[in-house]
């Protein structure tokens, strides 16, 4: 059986934001720091929150996050923008808060670039833990030595050809992973008086983030979007089994809660939306607890 932590680490290396945040939160829990994140326009946006400014000391926290991310070596993630602020429990979109007034919302922000991982180290991590199949004992008496020699020569030819094909495939995969696909990223326009190091990522939940890597921009009807997302998440929860699946459900319930919180007071459904903010948040906490149970 696959260890849930190994499965999360593998997803993090493949670029899953939810798995990356799960690892960051586990490793930063002793320091009292929790993180939220979203991947947008080629940049992993991180929001670090703690109860006191001392827990968010810039140089040590940035160095710790860099070490964790470089040990993971997430695929296609090199630029990371780290934002920090005192923890806030209200269910508002942290993107909107920072975008509206970054100077008062953030303690500091810093963008870093991760070092490219060693290609052969990545190959070793991908194949680590794979054990060769045990050879079974032949059920019949050993054939003659001539037949054995001919059979060995035949299989040596097969294995040699397969090994050469596998080697070429691995070299091609390594070059693709090292060079990466050519992509065109869009640079978001910063709001007036905003910090040059902060960008406009989409909504993320705490303490985990959704495994989808699309930017969830505010909708013209957040109430309808929240209801639709809650219905989809409820259906998906019937078949959730693994820790990663429950982790993804927790992030979606939190996103639905954030959407409900974005309903303006002028909307006739405002009272209903406020009730569902708390309801969806509790469902997110239940899903997080289920994810932890399946890791133990």
């Amino acid at each position: 059986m696959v260890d849930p932590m190994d499965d999360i680490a593998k997803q993090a290396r493949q670029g899953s934001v939810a798995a990356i945040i799960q690892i960051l939160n586990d490793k930063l829990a002793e320091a009292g720091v929790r993180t939220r994140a979203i991947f947008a326009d080629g940049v992993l946006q991180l929001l670090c929150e703690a109860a006191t400014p001392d827990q968010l000391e810039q140089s040590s926290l940035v160095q710790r996050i860099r070490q964790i991310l470089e040990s993971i070596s997430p695929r296609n993630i090199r630029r990371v923008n780290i934002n920090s602020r005192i923890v806030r429990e209200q269910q508002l979109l942290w993107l909107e808060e920072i975008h509206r007034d970054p100077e008062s919302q953030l303690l500091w922000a810093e963008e870093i670039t991760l070092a490219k991982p060693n290609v052969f180290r990545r190959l070793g991590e991908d194949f680590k833990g794979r054990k060769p199949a045990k050879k079974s004992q032949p059920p019949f008496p050993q054939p003659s030595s001539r037949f054995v020699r001919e059979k060995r020569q035949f299989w040596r030819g097969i294995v040699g050809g397969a090994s050469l094909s596998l080697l070429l495939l691995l070299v091609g995969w390594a070059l693709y992973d090292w060079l990466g696909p050519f992509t065109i990223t869009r640079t978001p326009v910063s709001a007036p008086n905003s910090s040059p190091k902060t960008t406009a990522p989409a909504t993320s939940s705490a303490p985990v983030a959704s495994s989808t890597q699309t930017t969830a921009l505010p909708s013209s009807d957040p109430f309808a979007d929240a209801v639709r997302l809650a219905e989809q998440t409820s259906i998906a929860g019937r078949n959730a089994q693994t820790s990663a699946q429950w982790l993804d459900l927790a992030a979606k319930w939190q996103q639905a809660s954030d959407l409900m919180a974005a309903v303006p007071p002028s909307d006739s459904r405002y009272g209903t939306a406020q009730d569902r903010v708390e309801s969806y948040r509790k469902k997110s906490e239940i899903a997080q607890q289920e994810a932890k149970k399946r890791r133990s």
Side-chain angles (χ1 to χ4, degrees):
M1 182 178 294
V2 179
D3 190 335
M5 287 304 299
D6 291 339
D7 183 56
I8 292 175
K10 181 179 180 181
Q11 293 183 41
R13 287 195 298 272
Q14 293 173 348
S16 168
V17 176
I20 291 172
I21 294 307
Q22 179 68 27
I23 293 176
L24 282 172
N25 285 331
D26 287 344
K27 293 185 179 295
L28 298 176
E30 294 183 358
V33 177
R34 74 177 186 183
T35 61
R36 311 184 191 191
I38 194 69
F39 184 74
D41 299 315
V43 179
L44 179 65
Q45 299 285 344
L46 284 180
L47 176 64
C48 301
E49 296 179 308
T52 64
D54 293 340
Q55 296 171 298
L56 296 169
E57 198 279 320
Q58 184 172 358
S59 60
S60 60
L61 183 58
V62 170
Q63 182 180 4
R64 179 62 176 152
I65 291 176
R66 180 191 291 275
Q67 291 174 349
I68 296 172
L69 293 179
E70 288 185 347
S71 68
I72 298 173
S73 298
R75 185 168 300 160
N76 296 331
I77 296 179
R78 292 293 174 267
R79 295 172 57 198
V80 182
N81 191 42
I82 306 172
N83 305 280
S84 71
R85 73 176 185 184
I86 301 300
V87 65
R88 301 184 181 185
E89 297 301 336
Q90 63 266 31
Q91 300 299 318
L92 296 177
L93 303 178
W94 62 274
L95 164 62
E96 292 184 353
E97 296 176 357
I98 294 175
H99 185 74
R100 181 172 57 251
D101 190 5
E103 295 298 332
S104 63
Q105 294 293 331
L106 297 177
L107 294 176
W108 52 264
E110 180 175 342
E111 182 173 312
I112 63 174
T113 301
L114 304 179
K116 283 192 174 183
N118 183 282
V119 177
F120 296 101
R121 177 186 173 188
R122 172 66 65 80
L123 289 173
E125 290 176 349
D126 290 342
F127 287 96
K128 183 179 180 181
R130 297 186 181 181
K131 298 181 179 179
K134 296 182 179 180
K135 296 182 180 179
S136 58
Q137 296 294 331
F140 301 103
Q142 295 291 337
S144 64
S145 58
R146 179 181 177 182
F147 176 79
V148 171
R149 288 195 300 271
E150 292 176 351
K151 186 176 181 180
R152 286 179 178 175
Q153 291 176 355
F154 172 78
W155 282 109
R156 284 175 182 172
I158 295 295
V159 172
S163 300
L164 179 59
S165 300
L166 179 60
L167 177 61
L168 293 175
L169 179 62
L170 290 177
V171 170
W173 182 88
L175 290 175
Y176 177 84
D177 184 74
W178 178 258
L179 297 176
F182 291 96
T183 58
I184 300 176
T185 60
R186 175 176 58 84
T187 302
V189 179
S190 301
N193 301 324
S194 62
S195 174
K197 291 185 178 180
T198 59
T199 57
T203 304
S204 175
S205 60
V208 295
S210 173
S211 61
T212 56
Q213 297 183 4
T214 57
T215 305
L217 295 178
S219 169
S220 59
D221 189 358
F223 185 94
D225 288 347
V227 171
R228 182 164 50 254
L229 179 58
E231 291 176 350
Q232 295 173 354
T233 305
S234 178
I235 294 174
R238 299 172 185 172
N239 300 320
Q241 298 291 334
T242 67
S243 174
Q245 289 173 337
W246 280 105
L247 186 66
D248 186 63
L249 290 173
K252 289 181 178 178
W253 279 120
Q254 183 61 52
Q255 185 180 0
S257 176
D258 288 344
L259 286 170
M260 280 297 181
V263 175
S266 59
D267 195 306
S268 60
R269 302 164 295 179
Y270 179 75
T272 302
Q274 292 301 304
D275 292 337
R276 296 192 181 184
V277 165
E278 183 66 19
S279 173
Y280 293 166
R281 185 187 64 80
K282 290 182 178 179
K283 290 179 183 293
S284 176
E285 293 177 352
I286 293 174
Q288 293 175 36
Q289 295 173 0
E290 290 294 333
K292 291 181 179 179
K293 290 179 182 178
R294 283 159 176 75
R295 287 175 49 198
S296 58

